[in-house]
Amino acid sequence: KAGVTQTPRYLIKTRGQQVTLSCSPISGHRSVSWYQQTPGQGLQFLFEYFSETQRNKGNFPGRFSGRQFSNSRSEMNVSTLELGDSALYLCASSPGQTWGGELFFGEGSRLTVL
Amino acid sequence: QQQVKQSPQSLIVQKGGISIINCAYENTAFDYFPWYQQFPGKGPALLIAIRPDVSEKKEGRFTISFNKSAKQFSLHIMDSQPGDSATYFCARGSSGSARQLTFGSGTQLTVLP
């Protein structure tokens, strides 16, 4: 079974631009979460989607948004990029109705903002 | 803000030794306490998870112990190997409607050959 796929893997943007990151979850997984990873703040929760509905959102400004499609694929968007948005953005999926704390992460999209 | 405090930040162990990473949390309103392992250039991968009604769980060389009264849980890696060199994160999560994990700050483990 294929793992979580994230595209693009690397991208460079300049301040003020916007970016869209894509995530394809493991087949059959209906929950998709996004996390931001930086050396200073570690792994921080952005949001989680289940069956196209955002169920929870972390403490990030409104410039960070996301969505999930009917095939469970997800995108996240960051508008008006700031230098501090440079990070590894990780997508994770999880299966079924019950959950035991397991998330299956992709390899991430590394965003550099210049 | 609910946090998970993880220590040490870095750890160097000789091959064959025991690696011990500790985490502390602030309240018990969480159902799962998983540990994740991350290699450079890769996303985190689940190692092992424990519920607070279990005091210890072992999978191979990896053991989680949970001390509910002290609000602490720890990861022990027995017979540490150079291939175990990675960053380890503890986390806490709830079985509520949203699947959100709050992670510790991570421990960079180096196992010397």
Side-chain angles (χ1 to χ4, degrees):
Chain A
K1 195 179 249 191
V4 176
T5 304
Q6 293 188 244
T7 57
R9 290 292 315 279
Y10 303 91
L11 63 166
I12 300 174
K13 294 286 187 179
T14 56
R15 281 180 297 173
Q17 287 187 311
Q18 74 161 12
V19 66
T20 298
L21 309 177
S22 180
C23 172
S24 293
I26 292 172
S27 178
H29 287 193
R30 294 168 62 189
S31 170
V32 174
S33 306
W34 289 88
Y35 288 78
Q36 181 196 63
Q37 186 173 27
T38 60
Q41 299 298 317
L43 281 157
Q44 291 189 291
F45 172 76
L46 280 158
F47 24 66
E48 188 241 356
Y49 290 87
F50 189 93
S51 295
E52 302 179 68
T53 300
Q54 185 183 90
R55 296 199 295 187
N56 202 5
K57 183 174 167 59
N59 188 27
F60 280 83
R63 299 185 297 106
F64 291 81
S65 63
R67 59 178 176 169
Q68 186 181 33
F69 302 96
S70 58
N71 61 0
S72 293
R73 192 177 68 84
S74 178
E75 289 181 348
M76 68 162 283
N77 182 276
V78 188
S79 62
T80 319
L81 284 166
E82 300 177 359
L83 295 178
D85 297 333
S86 294
L88 180 67
Y89 290 90
L90 291 159
C91 171
S93 69
S94 61
Q97 294 293 335
T98 59
W99 190 52
E102 65 278 339
L103 294 177
F104 296 83
F105 284 88
E107 295 189 334
S109 293
R110 184 164 296 280
L111 170 65
T112 302
V113 182
L114 302 176
Chain B
Q1 182 182 357
Q2 302 298 334
Q3 292 184 354
V4 178
K5 296 183 179 180
Q6 184 172 347
S7 63
Q9 185 175 3
S10 63
L11 181 61
I12 300 174
V13 174
Q14 292 286 343
K15 178 182 175 181
I18 302 174
S19 303
I20 302 174
I21 303 171
N22 299 299
C23 286
Y25 60 97
E26 295 179 351
N27 68 57
T28 55
F30 298 97
D31 297 324
Y32 305 107
F33 293 84
W35 287 84
Y36 283 78
Q37 178 189 55
Q38 185 176 28
F39 292 103
K42 302 292 185 181
L46 177 69
L47 255 184
I48 185 172
I50 197 170
R51 293 180 61 105
D53 56 351
V54 176
S55 61
E56 186 175 284
K57 184 175 181 180
K58 183 177 180 180
E59 289 188 5
R61 295 184 294 108
F62 300 89
T63 300
I64 301 179
S65 59
F66 193 90
N67 186 331
K68 192 172 183 177
S69 61
K71 296 182 182 178
Q72 293 178 344
F73 58 113
S74 61
L75 174 69
H76 289 60
I77 305 174
M78 312 301 289
D79 187 26
S80 298
Q81 299 296 313
D84 297 331
S85 298
T87 302
Y88 292 81
F89 295 93
C90 60
R92 57 167 173 76
S94 172
S95 61
S97 60
R99 300 178 181 184
Q100 173 183 347
L101 291 179
T102 299
F103 286 89
S105 54
T107 296
Q108 187 168 352
L109 171 65
T110 302
V111 181
L112 301 176

